[in-house]
C-alpha cells in the first residue's frame, strides 16, 4: 500500500478545474452588477452610505458647567453637562465622556481621570427631537492649578463628534498632610521612648 | 476575677517594664514614624486625603497589634516551657483557664499601650480632616477584637505545641495570610470570592469596617452592625478555643 496515495489525492482535489473558475467569474460579475443596481435604486442601504452626511455637530448641542465659587483640593464638586437634540429625528446610543486638561502655563497636558472621577462616560439610549438631557459628573479634585474640562459626544450614526466649550476652573491648594504637625510627633515619639528605654535599661542594671 | 487580675499584672510587669517589652514599643514607634516621614516626604503620598492617610495608618497599627499578639501569645506557654519556668507556674493554685485568660488580659493591655502610642500619630495625620473621633473609636474596637482573636489562637497553639520557635513561625504565617488585605487594594477584592474570603478573615472584616468609617463616613453603629456582629462572633469562637485548650496544660 502506498502511504502517500491519500496525500496525493487530496492535493489533486484542491486544484480547481476550468469550469469552476468560469462559474466563480460569473458569480462575481452578477454580484457586482446587483450591487451597483441596488446602490442607485436604494442609496440608503449601500455600504458606502454607512454614515449620515450631515455633521453631528449641527444636530446636537452640548455644554459643561463648572460649579460656581472657589474650588479647593480634596473637594468633590459636581459638574453639570447638558446635551440637547436639535435635529428633527431621535438620536440613539449617544456616548458622552468627560475630558480634563491641565492649563498650567508651560506645562499644559491632558489629565488621566482615573483618580478624579469614577464615572468618566455615560450612554444616552435615546434623545428625542428637542429633548434636553442633564447629567452630573462628580470629580474629586486631586491637584491644584488651572484646569479645563470638556464633554465629547459620539453619535454612532455620525463620523463627526461634538465637543462642548471648555469649562475653565481653578483649584486652590490645600495642605492635606501638614508637615509642621507631623514632624514633631514622628521625631519626638521615638526619642521619648528611646529615653524611657535607656532609663529602664540603666535602672535594671 | 482577682486571680485573673493578679496574673495579668504579673505578665504586664514582665512584658511592658522590661527591656524586651520596651524594645517592641520602640520598634512600633519607629515604624509609625517611618510612615509619617513618607507622608511628609513623598510627593504622591502628601497629596493623600487626610482620611485616606488615617486609614493607611490604622492598617499599619492593626498589623503591628497582630504582630504583638503573635509574639506575646507564642511566649505565653511555649516560651515559659523553653525557659523551664512553666512547671513553677503550673504548681500555683490557679486553674489552666485562669492562667490562659490572665495572659490574654496582659496581651490586651499591650494593645492598649500600642493604641495610646498611636494616638499622637493619628492626630498628627488626620486632625485637619474628617472622622477623627470615629476613626479612633473604631480602631480601638477592631484592634481589641483582633488582639483577643489572635492572642487566643496563639495562646492555644502555645499550649499545644512544645517549641516556642514552632509557635512563632505558625503565628507569623497566620498573620501574613490575615494581613494580606492591607497589601491588596479593595478593588482587587470586589469579586464574589474576594468578598467571601474577606468575611472569613477577621483582619479583612476590621479593615473593611475602618474603610467604611474613616473614608466613607459611615460611622453609625447601625451601618457597621454586620461587621461588629461578625467580629464579635470570631471573638467568642477564639475565646472558646482558648478555654478548651487551657483545660489541660502539659509540660
Amino acid at each position: 500500500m502506498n502511504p502517500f496515495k491519500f496525500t496525493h489525492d487530496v492535493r489533486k482535489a484542491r486544484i480547481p478545474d476550468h469550469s469552476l473558475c468560469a462559474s466563480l467569474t460569473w458569480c462575481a460579475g452578477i454580484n457586482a452588477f446587483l450591487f451597483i443596481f441596488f446602490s442607485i435604486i436604494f442609496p440608503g442601504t449601500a455600504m458606502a452610505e454607512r454614515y449620515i452626511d450631515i455633521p453631528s455637530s449641527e444636530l446636537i448641542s452640548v455644554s459643561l458647567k463648572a460649579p460656581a465659587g472657589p474650588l479647593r483640593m480634596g473637594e468633590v464638586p459636581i459638574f453639570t453637562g447638558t446635551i440637547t437634540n436639535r435635529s428633527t429625528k431621535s438620536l440613539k446610543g449617544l456616548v458622552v465622556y468627560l475630558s480634563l486638561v491641565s492649563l498650567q502655563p508651560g506645562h499644559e497636558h491632558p489629565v488621566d481621570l482615573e483618580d478624579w472621577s469614577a464615572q468618566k462616560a455615560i450612554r444616552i439610549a435615546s434623545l428625542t427631537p428637542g429633548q434636553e438631557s442633564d447629567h452630573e459628573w462628580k470629580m474629586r479634585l486631586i491637584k491644584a492649578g488651572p484646569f479645563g474640562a470638556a464633554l465629547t459626544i459620539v453619535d454612532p450614526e455620525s463620523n463627526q463628534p461634538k465637543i462642548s466649550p471648555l469649562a475653565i476652573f481653578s483649584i486652590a491648594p490645600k495642605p492635606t498632610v501638614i508637615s509642621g504637625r507631623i514632624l514633631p510627633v514622628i521625631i519626638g515619639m521615638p526619642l521619648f521612648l528611646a529615653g524611657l528605654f535607656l532609663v529602664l535599661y540603666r535602672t535594671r542594671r | 476575677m482577682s486571680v485573673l487580675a493578679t496574673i495579668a499584672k504579673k505578665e504586664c510587669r514582665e512584658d511592658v517594664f522590661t527591656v524586651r517589652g520596651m524594645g517592641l514599643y520602640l520598634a512600633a514607634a519607629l515604624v509609625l514614624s517611618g510612615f509619617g516621614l513618607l507622608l511628609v516626604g513623598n510627593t504622591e503620598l502628601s497629596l493623600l486625603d487626610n482620611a485616606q492617610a488615617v486609614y493607611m495608618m490604622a492598617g499599619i497599627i492593626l498589623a503591628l497589634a497582630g504582630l504583638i499578639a503573635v509574639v506575646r501569645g507564642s511566649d505565653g506557654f511555649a516560651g515559659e516551657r523553653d525557659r523551664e519556668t512553666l512547671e513553677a507556674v503550673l504548681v500555683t493554685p490557679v486553674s489552666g483557664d485562669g492562667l490562659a485568660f490572665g495572659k490574654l488580659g496582659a496581651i490586651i493591655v499591650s494593645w492598649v499601650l500600642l493604641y495610646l502610642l498611636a494616638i499622637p500619630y493619628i492626630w498628627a495625620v488626620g486632625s485637619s480632616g474628617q472622622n477623627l473621633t470615629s476613626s479612633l473609636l473604631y480602631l480601638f474596637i477592631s484592634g481589641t477584637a483582633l488582639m483577643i482573636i489572635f492572642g487566643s489562637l496563639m495562646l492555644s497553639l502555645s499550649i499545644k505545641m512544645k517549641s516556642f520557635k514552632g509557635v512563632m513561625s505558625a503565628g507569623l504565617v497566620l498573620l501574613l495570610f490575615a494581613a494580606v488585605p492591607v497589601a491588596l487594594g479593595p478593588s482587587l477584592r470586589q469579586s464574589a470570592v474576594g468578598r467571601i474570603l474577606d468575611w472569613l478573615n477577621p483582619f479583612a472584616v476590621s479593615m473593611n469596617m475602618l474603610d467604611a468609617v474613616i473614608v466613607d463616613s459611615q460611622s453609625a453603629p447601625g451601618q457597621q452592625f454586620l461587621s461588629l456582629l461578625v467580629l464579635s462572633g470570631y471573638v467568642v469562637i477564639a475565646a472558646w478555643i482558648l478555654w478548651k485548650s487551657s483545660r489541660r496544660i502539659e509540660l
Side-chain angles (χ1 to χ4, degrees), chain B residues 130 198 229 240:
Chain B
Q130 74 276 27
D198 268 8
L229 191 72
W240 179 78

Side-chain angles (χ1 to χ4, degrees), chain B residues 4-247:
Chain B
L4 279 180
T6 310
I7 292 166
K9 261 187 210 171
K10 174 204 162 266
E11 291 288 326
C12 286
R13 266 199 305 271
E14 286 177 6
D15 285 344
V16 180
F17 302 109
T18 57
V19 174
R20 187 187 56 165
M22 284 301 292
L24 209 57
Y25 294 110
L26 182 62
L30 285 172
V31 169
L32 292 176
S33 289
F35 179 67
L37 203 63
L38 275 177
L39 281 179
V40 174
N42 186 292
T43 318
E44 280 190 29
L45 283 176
S46 67
L47 288 173
L48 276 179
D49 192 34
N50 293 85
Q52 196 69 38
V54 169
Y55 169 68
M56 287 173 80
M57 192 160 261
I60 294 170
I61 293 162
L62 286 188
L64 285 170
L67 190 67
I68 288 178
V70 167
V71 173
R72 298 266 193 260
S74 306
D75 191 58
F77 291 96
E80 298 255 21
R81 203 176 278 126
D82 274 9
R83 289 191 296 274
E84 295 179 349
T85 50
L86 186 61
E87 195 175 0
V89 174
L90 290 180
V91 292
T92 53
V94 182
S95 63
D97 51 354
L99 206 57
F101 281 96
K103 284 179 184 284
L104 183 65
I107 291 174
I108 294 168
V109 171
S110 300
W111 154 246
V112 173
L113 287 176
L114 177 71
Y115 177 75
L116 293 174
L117 179 79
I119 287 177
Y121 287 95
I122 292 180
W123 169 80
V125 169
S127 62
S128 55
Q130 74 276 27
N131 306 327
L132 185 67
T133 314
S134 49
S135 306
L136 287 169
L137 176 68
Y138 277 87
L139 177 64
F140 184 74
I141 293 170
S142 54
T144 308
L146 280 184
M147 284 305 255
I148 295 172
I149 294 164
F150 276 97
S152 299
L153 291 178
M154 291 317 299
L155 283 170
S156 304
L157 272 178
S158 184
I159 290 168
K160 295 294 171 198
M161 289 172 74
K162 300 287 175 196
S163 146
F164 170 70
K165 279 181 189 169
V167 182
M168 187 80 163
S169 307
L172 288 175
V173 170
L174 183 74
L175 184 65
L176 193 70
F177 274 118
V180 161
V182 179
L184 294 178
S187 57
L188 290 170
R189 293 181 274 124
Q190 287 303 309
S191 64
V193 178
R195 283 191 196 134
I196 291 168
L197 288 175
D198 268 8
W199 283 112
L200 291 174
N201 178 0
F203 205 100
V205 174
S206 301
M207 288 307 295
N208 288 340
M209 187 170 72
L210 287 174
D211 186 14
V213 169
I214 301 171
V215 181
D216 303 330
S217 306
Q218 296 172 349
S219 56
Q223 289 172 303
Q224 300 309 321
F225 177 73
L226 191 61
S227 300
L228 290 169
L229 191 72
V230 172
L231 270 183
S232 309
Y234 283 126
V235 165
V236 171
I237 292 168
W240 179 78
I241 291 172
L242 180 62
W243 176 72
K244 282 290 274 183
S245 310
S246 61
R247 290 172 75 184

